Amino acid sequence: MLITLLLGLPGISLARWIVPEGDLPLTFKAGMLVLIGTVYLAVIWFWRAATIVYQDHIAVRQLFRTRRTAWSDVSSIEIENNPASSRTMLLDREGRLFALPGGVGAQAHEVRVIKDIWERRRGEGWTPPAEGAVLAAQHWARSRESAIVWAVFLTVGSFLALLVSGLILNSRSDWDNGEIPWLFQVIGFVPVVVFIAVYQAAVRLLRRRHLLRLDKVAGDSLS
């Protein structure tokens, strides 16, 4: 609630000032609204993300979709092997490894309840995943997280670089005349565009490396 108020209230005040202001360029208004909208999407995702357990499947609710996995298609449910993390990771039969949101992992008894339901409902034909498949899934999950980290790092860096450049390159006369330098007019679009571009490029590069790793694991298994 505190994070929501700290992020939400300034956004409302800023939007109420930007929208009716007639002297501001349309580009600047649109950029600021995009930036504010991104913040509110993060707040909505924070409240919406949840793990929901049903009798026949487990559902992971995200911002724009809900991922549903039948208990028989769950390969493992384990706390992440990382001392700095308390996340609970789910591995499905398609080799996708993802965290269970909504605080699952912080409470050991909740993880135990989920695992008990899974063990009862997964069926007699369930078989544990191969070690190579688990390692490949873990590698791909770490790769996606690395892509997000790089995207966030370069997004913040580009935003700060654009901000500093605008302050240095534009003279005070621009502000005195009531004009907003063009660098500041597009600054609201920069975080969104840079994040999407960097993340997509990183994911494609890492996906190729992941496929090569899968081929290597498959070759080692056959040998």
Side-chain angles (χ1 to χ4, degrees):
M1 183 66 70
L2 178 61
I3 294 175
T4 302
L5 292 176
L6 289 176
L7 293 177
L9 291 181
I12 294 175
S13 301
L14 184 59
R16 291 182 61 183
W17 169 71
I18 290 175
V19 173
E21 185 64 43
D23 296 334
L24 295 177
L26 183 60
T27 307
F28 179 77
K29 287 185 179 182
M32 289 296 100
L33 291 179
V34 168
L35 194 60
I36 295 172
T38 303
V39 173
Y40 279 105
L41 282 178
V43 172
I44 293 172
W45 176 86
F46 178 79
W47 285 99
R48 175 174 165 76
T51 300
I52 308 172
V53 175
Y54 296 91
Q55 292 298 319
D56 58 343
H57 70 279
I58 183 170
V60 175
R61 193 172 64 194
Q62 300 170 336
L63 180 59
F64 295 114
R65 67 169 182 171
T66 299
R67 187 198 303 265
R68 303 180 186 274
T69 307
W71 291 120
S72 58
D73 293 331
V74 176
S75 295
S76 68
I77 300 176
E78 301 292 342
I79 295 179
E80 189 174 24
N81 187 21
N82 185 350
S85 173
S86 62
R87 297 187 305 174
T88 299
M89 309 299 292
L90 185 148
L91 175 66
D92 63 17
R93 288 195 177 276
E94 296 182 7
R96 296 175 300 185
L97 183 69
F98 51 90
L100 301 181
V104 175
Q107 302 295 331
H109 69 277
E110 293 183 355
V111 180
R112 185 67 257 171
V113 169
I114 293 177
K115 294 188 70 171
D116 288 342
I117 296 175
W118 167 54
E119 291 170 355
R120 294 196 307 266
R121 299 282 178 175
R122 64 192 182 187
E124 297 180 357
W126 180 87
T127 55
E131 182 179 358
V134 175
L135 292 176
Q138 292 174 346
H139 179 265
W140 175 234
R142 287 194 294 268
S143 298
R144 287 183 300 175
E145 291 175 356
S146 298
I148 294 177
V149 170
W150 275 106
V152 171
F153 178 77
L154 292 178
T155 296
V156 174
S158 62
F159 180 83
L160 293 178
L162 192 62
L163 180 63
V164 173
S165 299
L167 293 174
I168 294 176
L169 298 178
N170 290 277
S171 63
R172 289 188 57 85
S173 60
D174 291 331
W175 297 95
D176 294 339
N177 295 333
E179 299 178 359
I180 297 180
W182 66 271
L183 283 175
F184 289 99
Q185 293 187 31
V186 300
I187 199 171
F189 296 104
V190 170
V192 178
V193 174
V194 171
F195 181 87
I196 294 175
V198 173
Y199 178 74
Q200 291 296 329
V203 164
R204 291 187 179 186
L205 175 62
L206 295 171
R207 186 184 297 276
R208 287 197 294 267
R209 293 182 179 179
H210 177 65
L211 293 176
L212 292 174
R213 186 181 182 88
L214 287 179
D215 292 339
K216 183 178 184 301
V217 170
D220 294 341
S221 300
L222 292 176
S223 61

